Amino acid sequence: MPRGRYSLHDPHDRTPLGEERFQCAPGPSGWRYVSRVTTPSGDHAGSVDLSLDALGRPIRLSLQSLSWQIRGAALDGVTWVRTDPTGTHATEGNAPAHAFTGTSPAFLVATARLLRLTPGSPATRVRLVAFTDPVLAPRTIDQSWALVKSEAHATDNGPLTVDEYQVSALDTGEQHTVHLTGDVVLAAPGIELEDLETPPSVFP
C-alpha cells in the first residue's frame, strides 16, 4: 500500500499551494485512494476519497475543500451532489462524461487506469467533470491522452516502469506531460512527489 506526500503548486508561477499526504492500494473491486490536503502553513484544507471499479470507473468520490463537499459516482455518465458551506443546501449535477478530475494526483492515476493505453497507440479523447478549487465548482472538459512511452528503471526494489503520457486540453490546445509509475504520480504540472514510504502498486 503506497503511502507518501505530494507537494502542490501553481503550474504557471510555482506558488506553493500546500501538500497532499496519501495512501492508496488496489483491491478485489478496483483501486482506492485517500488523502488529506494541507495549506502551505500546515492547516487542514480538504480531503480526497476516491474508489474505482475493476474497469477504472469512479464508483465513489468524496471530495472536500474548505467547507464545500462533493459526493459523486459513475451513474448515467457521472452524477454528483455539491453541498454548500452552510450544509443547508445541496445541488445535484449530471454530465455525459467518463469520470471526474481535479487538482489531486489521484485523478491522473484514475484517468490513466480508465483509458489503459498502450505505447504508440493513437491518442484517446476523454470527457471529464473537473471540480475546481477552492469552491469545487463543476466544469466539463475534454482532453486527449496518449501514452508516449514506458521505460523500466532499476531501483533497490527491482525494476520500476515509468509511463510518460502526453495530455492535451482540446479547448485550448495546451499540452503537458504526466509521469506515472503504477498508482503513483512521479511528476505532473503543479504536482511533485516529495516522499514515498512504500513502492507503488502494480496494476494487473
Side-chain angles (χ1 to χ4, degrees):
M1 177 184 294
R3 297 172 181 264
R5 174 173 55 90
Y6 294 109
S7 63
L8 308 176
H9 58 266
D10 187 297
H12 302 291
D13 61 13
R14 297 193 63 82
T15 300
L17 300 178
E19 292 187 339
E20 186 164 331
R21 295 183 178 273
F22 72 95
Q23 61 184 50
C24 55
S29 61
W31 181 73
R32 187 180 181 196
Y33 176 103
V34 294
S35 70
R36 181 176 182 270
V37 184
T38 55
T39 66
S41 61
D43 296 329
H44 179 70
S47 61
V48 180
D49 189 340
L50 174 65
S51 296
L52 308 179
D53 67 9
L55 297 178
R57 298 171 299 192
I59 54 176
R60 187 184 69 196
L61 170 66
S62 178
L63 190 62
Q64 184 182 358
S65 175
L66 299 176
S67 297
W68 296 89
Q69 188 171 32
I70 296 286
R71 293 191 181 278
L75 182 67
D76 296 326
V78 292
T79 300
W80 67 92
V81 175
R82 177 174 177 265
T83 305
D84 68 298
T86 65
T88 57
H89 301 287
T91 56
E92 294 185 6
N94 174 264
H98 300 96
F100 300 110
T101 192
T103 56
S104 173
F107 295 113
L108 297 175
V109 177
T111 303
R113 185 68 184 148
L114 177 71
L115 297 179
R116 303 188 187 212
L117 302 175
T118 55
S121 61
T124 298
R125 177 174 177 155
V126 61
R127 174 163 289 179
L128 305 167
V129 172
F131 296 110
T132 54
D133 292 335
V135 296
L136 302 182
R139 182 169 62 97
T140 302
I141 63 173
D142 291 305
Q143 293 181 337
S144 170
W145 279 61
L147 178 53
V148 178
K149 60 183 176 181
S150 294
E151 291 185 339
H153 297 263
T155 71
D156 294 339
N157 298 311
L160 199 66
T161 300
V162 177
D163 296 326
E164 179 183 328
Y165 292 89
Q166 185 177 74
V167 182
S168 304
L170 295 183
D171 56 346
T172 64
E174 183 179 5
Q175 295 184 338
H176 59 268
T177 301
V178 173
H179 290 93
L180 304 179
T181 178
D183 55 358
V184 172
V185 178
L186 295 179
I191 300 166
E192 290 184 17
L193 180 65
E194 300 289 352
D195 181 49
L196 186 62
E197 298 178 12
T198 48
S201 302
V202 178
F203 289 113

